[in-house]
Amino acid sequence: MITHVFPTPQAVGTALAATVVDAIVERPSLVLGLPTGRTPLPFYDALRRESVRRAVSWREVRTFNLDEFVGVPPTDAESYRAYMTRELFGPLGLPAAHIGFLDGTAPDLERECERYEEAIRAAGGIDLMILGIGANGHIGFNEPAAGLQARTHRARLEPETRASNAAQFGGDVARVPREALSMGMATICQARAVALMATGAGKAAAVRGMRDGAITAALPASFLQLHPSVTLWLDAAAATS
Ligand code: PGA
């Protein structure tokens, strides 16, 4: 894995945003995989500014987000869909038809997961998958477990993951859904390239395990070792071993 280390989370976001804008200039119909959470906020901020500064059009870009809560409508401010609308889709004016998203309120959630896999395939696959990582080594909602599901699936959230999502639900962990839909590690690893961001000392152990430890379902991110093109975008705190 190629590792880039920057002094601050803002510098991580700025550098990765510049790389993504370069990729869109080179390939205007780029297919992006996108994460939510706290880590990507400086990245989305920089991506908005850099896109405007360089007058880059997002009209042909297609996106697929990693995951969504079960039971939270996409119109609800607490959904990941709403987060993305606020941070990226709205400000950059992405056409709705180019936005791929899991719907956690679909009547048949298994079918919804299959639909998503088909939509990614129909788009020609993901060119660049951008990721965060959980302190427990999760990617999306692929939580540490005895075994992982390869493809997009319905997942139960660990208490630690629900706690780290509480801010999105007014700080009330009891309101964080217990289930979500998530791309699987095979879906993620099929992207042509992967860029993983991690910032803060709380992520250092997960980053070390992912890069240098055994490949194990106990640390789902470790499966990225099997991918031929992964770049890590770290701040100094997350890079400390
Ligand atoms: P965070 O979440 O950016 O809010 O820490 C990352 C993740 O859980 O993937």
Side-chain angles (χ1 to χ4, degrees), residues 35-41 66-67 80 83 131-141 143 161 164-165 197-199 203:
T36 49
R38 279 178 301 272
T39 308
L41 289 172
L66 262 181
D67 46 17
Y80 281 159
Y83 167 112
L131 300 172
I133 181 172
N136 66 2
H138 75 207
I139 297 281
F141 286 117
E143 297 279 29
T161 302
S164 77
N165 275 280
M197 282 179 280
T199 55
K203 300 289 173 72

Side-chain angles (χ1 to χ4, degrees), residues 81-162:
R81 175 67 186 247
Y83 167 112
M84 289 304 304
T85 300
R86 283 191 301 271
E87 294 298 324
L88 198 73
F89 302 157
L92 294 179
L94 264 76
H98 290 183
I99 297 170
F101 231 97
L102 283 157
D103 180 357
T105 59
D108 180 342
L109 293 174
E110 276 67 40
R111 176 72 204 108
E112 173 63 5
C113 293
E114 286 165 19
R115 177 197 68 79
Y116 207 54
E117 290 280 334
E118 282 159 19
I120 294 170
R121 262 196 303 275
I126 293 170
D127 294 311
L128 175 59
M129 182 83 228
I130 298 166
L131 300 172
I133 181 172
N136 66 2
H138 75 207
I139 297 281
F141 286 117
N142 295 280
E143 297 279 29
L148 300 177
Q149 293 192 53
R151 294 288 162 189
T152 302
H153 60 282
R154 186 172 180 169
R156 280 200 80 72
L157 276 49
E158 290 296 323
E160 187 179 355
T161 302
R162 292 182 67 222

Side-chain angles (χ1 to χ4, degrees), residues 2 11 20-21 24 28 34 48 55 68 71 75 82 91 107 112 131-132 153 159 183 197 222:
I2 298 167
V20 170
V21 169
I24 296 171
L34 296 173
R48 290 191 305 268
E68 181 59 284
T75 48
E112 173 63 5
L131 300 172
H153 60 282
M183 287 185 194
M197 282 179 280
S222 64

Side-chain angles (χ1 to χ4, degrees), residues 44 57 59 70 130 142 172 203:
Y44 288 134
S57 168
R59 292 204 65 76
V70 165
I130 298 166
N142 295 280
D172 183 0
K203 300 289 173 72

